[in-house]
Amino acid sequence: MASVISVTNQKGGVAKTTTVVELAAAFARKDLKVLVIDLDSQRNATGVLLGSTNFEPEETILEAFQKKPLLSRQIHSAPKIANLSVIPSCLQLVEAESLLSGTLDGFFRLNESLENLKSEFDFIIIDCPPSLSMITINALVAANSIIVPLLISKFSIDGLSSILQSVETIQKRYNPHLKILGALLVQHDARTTLSQAMIPEIEKHISVFPVSIPRSVVVEEAHLLKSDLFSYSPDHKVTRAYSDFADQVIQRL
């Protein structure tokens, strides 16, 4: 059965989608079968991995929230990466919030839709929207574990307690098996005074992965060309960092 990982942070701009894309690409290159689910209506993971965001709503993850089974028409093979498939997002996904509100099974629809897919993949990686919405709660209910990309900044750290409180509530009420794998420091420079001061404080609340992801324009270059880092610049330091990160995720699982 697939291990389901939700990559989440209620703050935007923390390389959440980049982490999803590169973790999925790293796993796929280890001959593991990977499915990425894009739950962000901005569709960034969809665009990078599939090279397009032009999908009809019935070809996207929206079907899961309409209480319909996920079928082959929603699962699209990534053209540049073997072993990697994507269920894309769409602009209409914002309508799912009102669709789910007030329904008895509103928090569980994604989990139910994924049941028939778990035997087909080794990993299912979910890109969550940057908010604690009904869609994000669906992702946490469906997951076995979560990864929290984190910037060393005051606003990012301030939001960490909110994330942890949300996870604790999900564990108590909906998904007792949910586990936090750890925080991944992104766009990181370990030499700064702020970093050296803040990391011990972060580790009081959440485990931090030993590897961190350095800041580099190579990420934007790759995404502009609708490519993952492993295809665009396989020997770059950021690519190597994400490869090490994938190994550490497997170890923690």
Side-chain angles (χ1 to χ4, degrees), residues 62-91:
L62 183 62
E63 294 289 278
F65 297 107
Q66 294 177 334
K67 212 170 182 179
K68 298 177 182 178
L70 292 171
L71 305 171
S72 58
R73 68 181 303 184
Q74 284 95 41
I75 303 172
H76 306 261
S77 296
K80 295 183 179 180
I81 309 172
N83 302 315
L84 179 57
S85 300
V86 181
I87 301 181
S89 182
C90 61
L91 291 174

Side-chain angles (χ1 to χ4, degrees), residues 150-161 198 201-202:
L150 203 61
L151 289 172
I152 296 294
S153 71
K154 181 183 185 305
F155 295 127
S156 184
I157 304 306
D158 287 347
L160 182 59
S161 60
M198 293 302 299
E201 295 301 313
I202 296 170

Side-chain angles (χ1 to χ4, degrees), residues 24-232:
F27 282 161
R29 282 169 171 78
K30 298 178 186 294
D31 291 327
L32 298 166
K33 291 196 67 177
V34 185
L35 174 66
V36 169
I37 298 177
D38 189 353
L39 292 186
D40 192 339
S41 60
Q42 296 181 65
R43 305 169 292 168
N44 292 328
T46 298
V48 171
L49 291 174
L50 295 180
S52 173
T53 56
N54 296 322
F55 296 93
E56 296 298 323
E58 59 270 18
E59 298 177 305
T60 73
I61 194 60
L62 183 62
E63 294 289 278
F65 297 107
Q66 294 177 334
K67 212 170 182 179
K68 298 177 182 178
L70 292 171
L71 305 171
S72 58
R73 68 181 303 184
Q74 284 95 41
I75 303 172
H76 306 261
S77 296
K80 295 183 179 180
I81 309 172
N83 302 315
L84 179 57
S85 300
V86 181
I87 301 181
S89 182
C90 61
L91 291 174
Q92 292 85 346
L93 193 60
V94 294
E95 301 170 4
E97 288 295 316
S98 58
L99 181 70
L100 298 172
S101 297
T103 60
L104 292 175
D105 64 343
F107 295 146
F108 298 93
R109 291 195 179 179
L110 180 62
N111 185 50
E112 292 170 355
S113 296
L114 291 181
E115 282 304 315
N116 65 320
L117 298 180
K118 290 181 181 179
S119 62
E120 300 181 24
F121 296 93
D122 297 302
F123 287 96
I124 297 174
I125 306 177
I126 304 175
D127 187 14
C128 299
S131 63
L132 186 62
S133 60
M134 290 285 287
I135 291 175
T136 300
I137 294 173
N138 265 267
L140 299 182
V141 170
N144 307 120
S145 54
I146 71 166
I147 293 168
V148 183
L150 203 61
L151 289 172
I152 296 294
S153 71
K154 181 183 185 305
F155 295 127
S156 184
I157 304 306
D158 287 347
L160 182 59
S161 60
S162 176
I163 296 169
L164 298 179
Q165 289 171 6
S166 300
V167 171
E168 184 178 358
T169 300
I170 298 295
Q171 290 170 327
K172 287 181 178 179
R173 296 186 179 182
Y174 307 116
N175 183 3
H177 304 294
L178 182 63
K179 180 174 72 170
I180 300 175
L181 285 187
L184 174 67
L185 300 181
V186 297
Q187 302 175 23
H188 183 56
D189 185 349
R191 300 168 297 179
T192 65
T193 302
L194 180 62
S195 175
Q196 294 170 9
M198 293 302 299
I199 289 177
E201 295 301 313
I202 296 170
E203 290 178 326
K204 292 178 181 179
H205 305 284
I206 186 172
S207 172
V208 176
F209 282 96
V211 68
S212 60
I213 310 300
R215 184 187 301 274
S216 175
V217 297
V218 72
V219 176
E220 291 301 321
E221 291 172 356
H223 291 181
L224 185 64
L225 297 173
K226 301 187 184 304
S227 175
D228 67 287
L229 287 171
F230 293 87
S231 301
Y232 178 72

